[in-house]
Amino acid sequence: MASRTITPMLLRNALRVSPRAVSSAPRRFLNTETAPSLYTAQAKVVGARVGHVDGENLKVELTMAKALGGKGDAGKTNPEELFAAGYGACFQSAMNAVAPSLNIKMSATPEDSIVETKVHLVGSMKDLDMGLRVEMNVKVKGLSKENLEKVVYKARQVCPYSRATKDNVYTTVTCETM
């Protein structure tokens, strides 16, 4: 199993992909204020980290993680887990979307492509100076390491979560072939 960690500032060097090898689109300047909405998700939170979330297709009970002094109730979740799930699913969708533009075929079997995402709440609660750090482990069966890295590189350019967190959330991505 091959593995490599990619950090934001060293991404191009870590991937060892020449600019000609990846046909990246010119930098997009999407004005999110005026762009047409493709989909709108809504969630109502009651009770902060120890309450619940209601959405159109979502009913989730929240708990404060034990590491933060809470109960960490079984069967309940927290904002960091929800962010990890959303980011991982979005990133995997971006990988599937960009692969054809690179003439790379992703497996159609869901178990052949796995994105494991860890979201760390970092900083100081005492000083109310907190942020996030993300570790993503991408595992794909049936691709060479080089092709997987090309897909991940381009997915980071188009994934809405990656674009939203760019230069604000320290993110590492590890690529593994299965």
Side-chain angles (χ1 to χ4, degrees):
M1 198 178 290
S3 174
R4 176 176 292 155
T5 299
I6 303 163
T7 57
M9 296 189 308
L10 302 175
L11 183 59
R12 183 175 299 259
N13 291 337
L15 288 176
R16 293 188 194 109
V17 176
S18 75
R20 282 175 255 132
V22 176
S23 60
S24 60
R27 179 161 168 85
R28 299 180 320 173
F29 295 99
L30 179 67
N31 182 341
T32 57
E33 182 181 4
T34 60
S37 178
L38 303 174
Y39 169 74
T40 301
Q42 286 185 297
K44 178 176 79 173
V45 178
V46 177
R49 285 181 172 267
V50 293
H52 63 273
V53 178
D54 293 315
E56 183 178 337
N57 297 302
L58 180 69
K59 301 262 186 248
V60 179
E61 295 294 321
L62 300 173
T63 186
M64 179 78 81
K66 284 183 182 179
L68 299 176
K71 293 180 182 179
D73 300 313
K76 296 183 179 182
T77 191
N78 59 63
E80 292 73 30
E81 274 188 329
L82 293 169
F83 189 84
Y87 197 168
C90 188
F91 194 84
Q92 195 168 41
S93 293
M95 289 171 48
N96 291 334
V98 302
S101 71
L102 300 168
N103 295 318
I104 296 172
K105 182 166 175 38
M106 298 287 285
S107 174
T109 305
E111 293 78 14
D112 289 348
S113 179
I114 299 168
V115 176
E116 298 170 330
T117 307
K118 291 182 183 177
V119 173
H120 303 272
L121 182 63
V122 299
S124 169
M125 289 179 64
K126 178 183 169 195
D127 298 331
L128 297 178
D129 186 18
M130 294 167 283
L132 300 175
R133 179 175 58 239
V134 175
E135 297 174 38
M136 193 174 289
N137 188 18
V138 178
K139 301 175 185 180
V140 177
K141 185 176 186 178
L143 292 186
S144 69
K145 188 173 183 180
E146 180 182 6
N147 281 346
L148 175 56
E149 290 172 347
K150 287 178 185 178
V151 169
V152 165
Y153 178 80
K154 191 155 186 186
R156 287 188 79 166
Q157 295 173 5
V158 302
C159 171
Y161 277 73
S162 293
R163 294 181 75 197
T165 60
K166 185 177 189 230
D167 299 326
N168 191 40
V169 175
Y170 182 81
T171 302
T172 58
V173 178
T174 303
C175 295
E176 294 183 31
T177 56
M178 298 193 292

